[in-house]
Amino acid sequence: MLVVNNVSKQFGNFSVLEDINIEFNNGVYGLLAPNGAGKTTLIKMLVTLLFPTKGEILYNGTEITGLDEKYRDVLGYLPQEFGYYKNYSPEQYLLYLAALKGIHKKQAKERISELLRLVNLEEASQKKMKKFSGGMIQRVGIAQAMLNDPKILILDEPTAGLDPKERARFRKLLTELARNRIVILSTHIVSDVESIANEIIMIKDKAVLYKDNTENISNLLEGKMYETEVDFSEATTFRERYTSIAEKRENGKMKFRFVANGEPHTEWKSVTPTLEDVFLYAYADGITLNGASV
Amino acid sequence: MSRKKPHIPFPNEKVMEREIEAIISRGLDPTPSFGRYLLTMYRQIGFRYIFRDATEIAFTLFLSIIILTFLSISVGNYAAFEQGNLYTWIFGWSPALYMIMAYFFFMNKKQSPIYEVEMTCKYNMYQLAAFRMLFFGLVAMLMNGFMIFLIASEYQLNFYFAFILSTTSLFLFATLFLYAQLKMKSLISKLAVIAGWGLINMFLSYFSSEVYQTILQQIPFYVYGVISICGFILYYKHLKKLTVYARAKGVV
């Protein structure tokens, strides 16, 4: 079990995170917040690249910095800006990292061919990575994070650059992996985590806003989510009165998906709220939702 | 029935300390010596991956030797080397090769594209650096020895004295360099230490050349030997600190 205990992080006088408390058990955790909310800072603390200014992070009861290489031995990490050596092939690159992870060469070779098959890069295993597309590079990154069969797999924006087919494949892979490990996935793309995360963690104003499963978080907008069609001339007034979540032109009118508190109008159609609705609503300026389970 | 108070032997301080130590040593994993740690790391990773950039290192070393040789020749054309002057020159310039390797392949490592990934591996950059820096120190010592051998045949120097002088200078600088890396935060102060060595030596040899030469040559052979050994031990200890540096300071 990985425990974040009263963790705060400051850079000089600038506070990024304050009093964060989270417990991670086996399963997929979606760390969901807009850019700049402190996701990467939290992730960097979880992988020992940064240290908390206050508080502690424990793995099975011991502080992770004290565990040193024993912690890194069970850790897999894909950073947001994943670097690689351009003249290396995926196989060379993974062999190098496998050595740094203390994996014996014979074992590493077997694991690498297994992983390259898993991320669909088997045929490109000998090609130089400088010729790779963004999606291919990202898949090499995912493979390197899984090299040591980690107990804690932390992925910062892992689906950046992946096409829809690769994203679906990746989600399937994570669900499979999460059966016997902690998978923490940081993203600002709701669909990446909506269907696979056991728990969603949202960060706002330097603190954990919600930590619950998708259903419970979506239910925070239960009975408040509607759709309706409005004339173009009334669209501006409508936006001022209600919180618009999505808009599109349809049948010569503006179709709004929006949040409204109070009595609904008869022409409004009540809809089931999704995680994306809550995400967009929660991060709209000056809005707070009650009933959050933190 | 007579109620006799049972006698319970109470351990003294020494026994208590011994028992505590026994419990702790059984409960904790044994910590290997630094030498054994480096050997285990070498066996697990191998030379090829510890020196992934071996070609770049060899090229930089080769280029540095050429530049330093031409620099020496061109300086020699302006100021004819006297024997004493050469010892000053050797003392001041012996850390040059080490300095170049340590700067490009350690200080500059944070610019590496895969720095963050490397730092989260079981053996991270600082642990690898401990092995690499030890190797750099020894390579620099041997290369200096080779160059002094070539100079000695040309200028009739005492090779052994020049070599021990060079080794003393090298390990004094290497220890200072690592100390700066471990204790100083800003890049400017770290670079100031490197530049400071060169500037102080240049200043001393230019402004009080004779005094400086005399001091360097008056110090007995064995004193240099003792300083060299102490310098190496200190350097080795600082390398050990490097392996836990990331754990103590954070790295980004």
Side-chain angles (χ1 to χ4, degrees):
Chain A
M1 187 168 62
L2 188 63
V3 179
V4 178
N5 219 350
N6 294 319
V7 163
S8 300
K9 181 67 192 174
Q10 276 181 293
F11 293 103
N13 289 328
F14 181 67
S15 171
V16 182
L17 294 168
E18 284 170 7
D19 273 327
I20 303 286
N21 287 291
I22 314 172
E23 266 186 36
F24 299 98
N25 291 299
N26 287 353
V28 180
Y29 292 84
L31 196 53
L32 197 61
N35 290 333
K39 291 192 303 281
T40 298
T41 302
L42 178 60
I43 291 239
K44 282 188 176 171
M45 286 194 285
L46 291 174
V47 298
T48 67
L49 286 173
L50 283 176
F51 291 170
T53 313
K54 213 185 84 192
E56 56 186 3
I57 302 173
L58 309 168
Y59 178 60
N60 290 340
T62 312
E63 196 156 7
I64 57 172
T65 47
L67 285 170
D68 199 24
E69 63 187 48
K70 281 181 206 144
Y71 179 68
R72 293 196 302 274
D73 203 17
V74 296
L75 182 71
Y77 171 53
L78 172 67
Q80 192 173 7
E81 280 163 31
F82 164 64
Y84 57 96
Y85 295 119
K86 289 188 170 80
N87 285 319
Y88 270 32
S89 70
E91 195 180 82
Q92 282 173 314
Y93 177 66
L94 292 175
L95 272 171
Y96 167 62
L97 287 179
L100 296 193
K101 288 178 187 236
I103 306 169
H104 289 286
K105 201 175 173 183
K106 195 183 162 204
Q107 204 186 334
K109 281 198 163 181
E110 284 169 19
R111 180 81 180 140
I112 288 165
S113 66
E114 185 188 323
L115 285 171
L116 288 176
R117 195 165 49 245
L118 208 66
V119 295
N120 207 17
L121 279 174
E122 221 176 358
E123 284 175 14
S125 67
Q126 303 296 333
K127 288 182 184 160
K128 284 191 177 177
M129 284 160 70
K130 64 181 170 190
K131 291 175 182 166
F132 280 18
S133 68
M136 287 167 90
I137 295 291
Q138 199 68 358
R139 280 186 276 158
V140 177
I142 292 163
Q144 70 76 22
M146 296 194 297
L147 261 176
N148 52 334
D149 196 15
K151 290 275 162 224
I152 305 165
L153 181 60
I154 299 179
L155 310 158
D156 198 358
E157 310 274 358
T159 54
L162 298 186
D163 63 33
K165 197 177 154 195
E166 285 164 349
R167 276 169 193 244
R169 191 187 169 96
F170 176 66
R171 285 198 288 265
K172 218 182 283 175
L173 179 68
L174 281 192
T175 316
E176 185 70 24
L177 285 169
R179 278 193 303 181
N180 56 353
R181 75 195 78 216
I182 298 168
V183 178
I184 302 168
L185 202 147
S186 147
T187 185
H188 59 271
I189 302 164
V190 180
S191 61
D192 280 349
V193 286
E194 194 168 28
S195 58
I196 58 162
N198 301 77
E199 281 199 7
I200 301 289
I201 299 157
M202 286 196 194
I203 297 173
K204 190 181 179 183
D205 297 332
K206 303 162 193 172
V208 175
L209 182 65
Y210 311 127
K211 182 180 180 285
D212 213 329
N213 60 40
T214 306
E215 200 186 343
N216 287 345
I217 293 181
S218 303
N219 283 343
L220 290 168
L221 283 179
E222 186 65 48
K224 293 175 185 170
M225 203 71 221
Y226 302 95
E227 275 181 5
T228 193
E229 285 178 355
V230 175
D231 285 331
F232 287 119
S233 57
E234 293 165 22
T236 312
T237 325
F238 190 87
R239 279 191 206 106
E240 283 166 7
R241 290 181 68 184
Y242 307 105
T243 311
S244 169
I245 300 294
E247 300 172 15
K248 66 174 174 180
R249 284 167 178 244
E250 208 172 89
N251 307 324
K253 288 190 166 187
M254 280 296 280
K255 187 174 181 181
F256 281 94
R257 184 178 176 91
F258 63 102
V259 178
N261 294 300
E263 277 302 298
H265 293 199
T266 47
E267 67 274 20
W268 292 355
K269 185 184 154 199
S270 179
V271 290
T272 311
T274 62
L275 183 64
E276 181 138 21
D277 293 330
V278 178
F279 178 75
L280 292 171
Y281 186 68
Y283 293 104
D285 290 336
I287 283 175
T288 41
L289 268 171
N290 292 322
S293 45
V294 176
Chain B
M1 256 177 85
S2 67
R3 292 185 68 189
K4 216 176 174 184
K5 212 176 175 185
H7 172 72
I8 301 167
F10 195 78
N12 61 30
E13 285 286 325
K14 270 192 174 177
V15 175
M16 279 195 277
E17 260 176 42
R18 205 169 53 226
E19 288 301 316
I20 290 168
E21 272 171 25
I23 293 165
I24 290 172
S25 65
R26 268 182 221 168
L28 293 174
D29 291 336
T31 314
S33 67
F34 180 54
R36 184 155 290 278
Y37 177 81
L38 289 182
L39 194 67
T40 311
M41 185 167 75
Y42 175 76
R43 281 185 184 146
Q44 284 208 350
I45 304 178
F47 189 86
R48 189 179 160 194
Y49 291 123
I50 292 180
F51 294 95
R52 186 200 64 79
D53 45 1
T55 321
E56 292 161 52
I57 296 172
F59 181 72
T60 310
L61 206 59
F62 179 68
L63 206 66
S64 310
I65 291 169
I66 290 178
I67 291 169
L68 288 174
T69 308
F70 278 103
L71 204 69
S72 310
I73 292 169
S74 56
V75 169
N77 287 338
Y78 290 102
F81 279 128
E82 289 166 23
Q83 213 185 49
N85 217 349
L86 260 178
Y87 287 122
T88 320
W89 179 264
I90 287 168
F91 189 82
W93 282 93
S94 283
L97 283 180
Y98 173 85
M99 197 190 291
I100 291 164
M101 285 192 283
Y103 176 77
F104 284 107
F105 301 102
F106 174 66
M107 274 183 81
N108 227 8
K109 190 73 182 167
K110 273 195 174 181
Q111 311 304 325
S112 161
I114 72 162
Y115 177 73
E116 285 195 8
V117 174
E118 284 175 338
M119 279 310 297
T120 52
C121 287
K122 181 180 175 184
Y123 294 110
N124 67 26
M125 189 204 106
Y126 285 93
Q127 288 157 339
L128 253 62
F131 191 96
R132 288 162 61 101
M133 299 291 266
L134 182 65
F135 186 79
F136 288 164
L138 297 174
V139 166
M141 187 178 83
L142 293 175
M143 296 301 288
N144 287 344
F146 177 68
M147 287 195 281
I148 289 167
F149 177 76
L150 295 180
I151 297 168
S153 55
E154 181 74 20
Y155 289 94
Q156 297 191 339
L157 285 180
N158 179 343
F159 170 76
Y160 297 105
F161 181 72
F163 181 66
I164 200 94
L165 188 72
S166 151
T167 308
T168 304
S169 154
L170 171 68
F171 286 118
L172 280 180
F173 174 81
T175 309
L176 196 69
F177 177 85
L178 272 188
Y179 179 82
Q181 294 303 313
L182 294 167
K183 300 283 176 191
M184 292 173 176
K185 279 189 174 173
S186 79
L187 180 69
I188 294 169
S189 46
K190 287 175 186 175
L191 289 172
V193 169
I194 298 177
W197 177 274
L199 289 174
I200 290 170
N201 272 291
M202 274 169 70
F203 178 83
L204 288 174
S205 59
Y206 186 77
F207 285 102
S208 53
S209 165
E210 278 178 26
V211 180
Y212 191 42
Q213 280 170 37
T214 315
I215 292 170
L216 284 179
Q217 288 181 79
Q218 287 296 310
I219 296 172
F221 207 92
Y222 72 90
V223 174
Y224 279 118
V226 171
I227 299 174
S228 280
I229 293 166
C230 291
F232 181 76
I233 293 169
L234 271 174
Y235 180 57
Y236 191 77
K237 284 193 167 179
H238 277 84
L239 287 175
K240 191 177 172 183
K241 284 182 190 166
L242 202 59
T243 59
V244 291
Y245 179 75
R247 187 170 67 188
K249 301 271 180 180
V251 289
V252 175

